[in-house]
Amino acid sequence: MSDESSDTIDTREEDPNIDLTADEDISTANTMRQRSGETKIKTWFMLEGSRLVVTGLLAMLILGVFVFGGTFFYQYFLIDAQSADTVETVFSTMISAIITGVTLVLTISQIVISQENGPLGDQRQRMSNTMDFREYTEEMIGSPTPADPSAFLRALILESKEHAEQLRDEVADTDDDELRNEVDEFTTSLIGNADAAADKLEGRSFGSYTVVSAALDYNYGWKIFQVERLADGYVDTLSAEAMSILDELKTSLSMFGPAREHIKTLYFEWELISLSQNILYLSVPALIVAGFTTTYLGGNALTGGTLGVPNLIWWASIAFAITSLPFLLLISYIARIATIAKRTLAIGPFILRDSQR
């Protein structure tokens, strides 16, 4: 995914030189990756791939670089390892880095957890706001609001799809060909986007990236802008019923915005807590390897070679990759969180980049 300057907001960059008229294409691709034009590899690495797998790949990269470099510079490394305690210096530094990194991540986790704490009055207000939103959603969709986050988002998406179908049917017999063509293009795009996002959300459990990914695929902000533009541009042509449908469509899209932001916030907290747990698990073997290497191994501790590579190079490379795991795990998690945050900097139809309609 493109990580440059809010590059994945699902709306378009405001530019006074751009005339958003009826002649402009108002349809969009059904997925965030298609709209951004990024490669599948980059998308997988930054967002879709398992964070543990990404961490493992980064560790393998470090291992490969160290083995390759050590093979060509072994004589210089061996001299330094014997005379300057290079191995001991490197891994004693890693011990300090591991302890500092774990402390930092645990501090972040405490901050996240502390947001859930508060006096009774604050908790009551949070509950009241949540129930008000759910009751309003229930009135809008005509059925009890789902408790599962993926089903909740899916219900809002399907509600907007229903209004889009109603709008298309309402203007199907209009004499204004331009209006009919615009509405047909807009509703076809919305319905296709809604079907793709709803299918992706169906049956998904909270905690997986798929739920957030599907929510990001549905670019509601651009759709709100198009609803506003149609209502303003054809105010004298649209019937009262069509205007009412446009208003209902705008409401359903507007409800999706805060719902997505709430689910996204919960997901961030979930990910940060998972990050803390996994770093705690990795920090123990990383400390053991770093401490063992610092205490017992030196330039003369390992002799011979395996697969044409000196054993000292193998051990130093593998040990460094293992002791780097907590930091690499932090990189993989923050890469995903930061990318999602950039894609959702603004709520509503604020347009930050042309390619992210």
Side-chain angles (χ1 to χ4, degrees):
M1 286 302 114
S2 183
D3 298 311
E4 299 83 23
S5 67
S6 307
D7 58 345
T8 47
I9 295 295
D10 45 13
T11 48
R12 301 178 57 169
E13 186 176 10
E14 289 183 325
D15 188 333
N17 298 319
I18 295 178
D19 181 19
L20 294 174
T21 65
D23 295 331
E24 190 171 288
D25 183 12
I26 60 177
S27 63
T28 63
N30 289 333
T31 66
M32 178 179 51
R33 187 188 69 81
Q34 292 171 336
R35 293 193 296 270
S36 64
E38 296 293 352
T39 63
K40 290 184 178 180
I41 295 177
K42 189 173 182 180
T43 302
W44 182 89
F45 182 83
M46 299 299 295
L47 293 172
E48 296 176 356
S50 166
R51 298 299 90 184
L52 295 179
V53 173
V54 171
T55 301
L57 291 176
L58 291 174
M60 292 298 294
L61 175 62
I62 290 177
L63 174 62
V65 171
F66 268 61
V67 171
F68 178 81
T71 302
F72 288 95
F73 298 99
Y74 174 66
Q75 294 300 327
Y76 303 101
F77 174 70
L78 181 61
I79 294 173
D80 289 341
Q82 293 175 337
S83 61
D85 295 328
T86 301
V87 174
E88 179 181 349
T89 302
V90 169
F91 286 95
S92 61
T93 303
M94 291 299 293
I95 292 175
S96 300
I98 293 170
I99 295 175
T100 302
V102 170
T103 303
L104 175 62
V105 171
L106 291 179
T107 301
I108 295 174
S109 300
Q110 290 176 349
I111 294 175
V112 172
I113 296 174
S114 67
Q115 295 178 355
E116 301 302 314
N117 301 325
L120 180 60
D122 292 346
Q123 300 297 338
R124 177 67 182 87
Q125 185 62 45
R126 290 178 60 190
M127 184 68 176
S128 178
N129 292 339
T130 299
M131 295 308 298
D132 287 345
F133 190 90
R134 290 180 61 84
E135 289 172 4
Y136 188 82
T137 303
E138 182 176 350
E139 293 177 4
M140 185 178 66
I141 65 178
S143 62
T145 304
D148 181 74
S150 61
F152 181 34
L153 293 175
R154 189 171 185 271
L156 291 172
I157 291 173
L158 293 178
E159 181 70 13
S160 64
K161 173 189 173 183
E162 180 179 343
H163 292 313
E165 292 171 340
Q166 293 172 355
L167 177 64
R168 182 176 58 185
D169 295 340
E170 180 64 26
V171 303
D173 298 328
T174 183
D175 296 331
D176 191 329
D177 292 338
E178 185 179 355
L179 170 61
R180 186 172 58 254
N181 291 336
E182 275 205 63
V183 169
D184 184 67
E185 181 183 0
F186 170 62
T187 55
T188 299
S189 175
L190 189 152
I191 292 169
N193 195 188
D195 285 337
D199 291 344
K200 199 171 182 179
L201 282 168
E202 187 172 10
R204 298 296 182 175
S205 301
F206 180 78
S208 66
Y209 170 70
T210 307
V211 175
V212 178
S213 174
L216 292 176
D217 283 344
Y218 196 61
N219 57 335
Y220 74 96
W222 177 247
K223 295 173 174 55
I224 291 176
F225 167 73
Q226 290 298 335
V227 169
E228 294 174 340
R229 188 183 63 79
L230 288 171
D232 180 71
Y234 297 97
V235 63
D236 297 327
T237 307
L238 290 166
S239 65
E241 179 64 21
M243 292 295 289
S244 176
I245 294 174
L246 278 173
D247 185 63
E248 291 174 351
L249 176 57
K250 181 179 178 179
T251 299
S252 62
L253 291 170
S254 299
M255 290 288 287
F256 181 80
R260 189 186 76 171
E261 291 303 303
H262 179 61
I263 300 303
K264 181 195 73 174
T265 300
L266 294 177
Y267 177 75
F268 280 179
E269 295 179 355
W270 182 285
E271 284 284 86
L272 288 172
I273 292 173
S274 297
L275 169 63
S276 301
Q277 291 176 320
N278 290 328
I279 280 188
L280 288 176
Y281 301 149
L282 290 177
S283 62
V284 175
L287 280 173
I288 291 175
V289 170
F292 183 88
T293 303
T294 301
T295 305
Y296 300 112
L297 295 182
N300 297 316
L302 294 174
T303 58
T306 303
L307 299 177
V309 178
N311 289 332
L312 180 60
I313 297 297
W314 277 118
W315 177 262
S317 302
I318 294 173
F320 191 83
I322 292 175
T323 55
S324 299
L325 285 176
F327 178 68
L328 298 178
L329 184 69
L330 177 62
I331 290 177
S332 67
Y333 270 87
I334 296 302
R336 174 186 280 175
I337 293 174
T339 303
I340 295 174
K342 278 194 172 184
R343 297 180 176 214
T344 55
L345 283 176
I347 186 171
F350 286 100
I351 299 168
L352 303 182
R353 186 182 174 103
D354 179 72
S355 63
Q356 302 308 315
R357 290 187 296 172

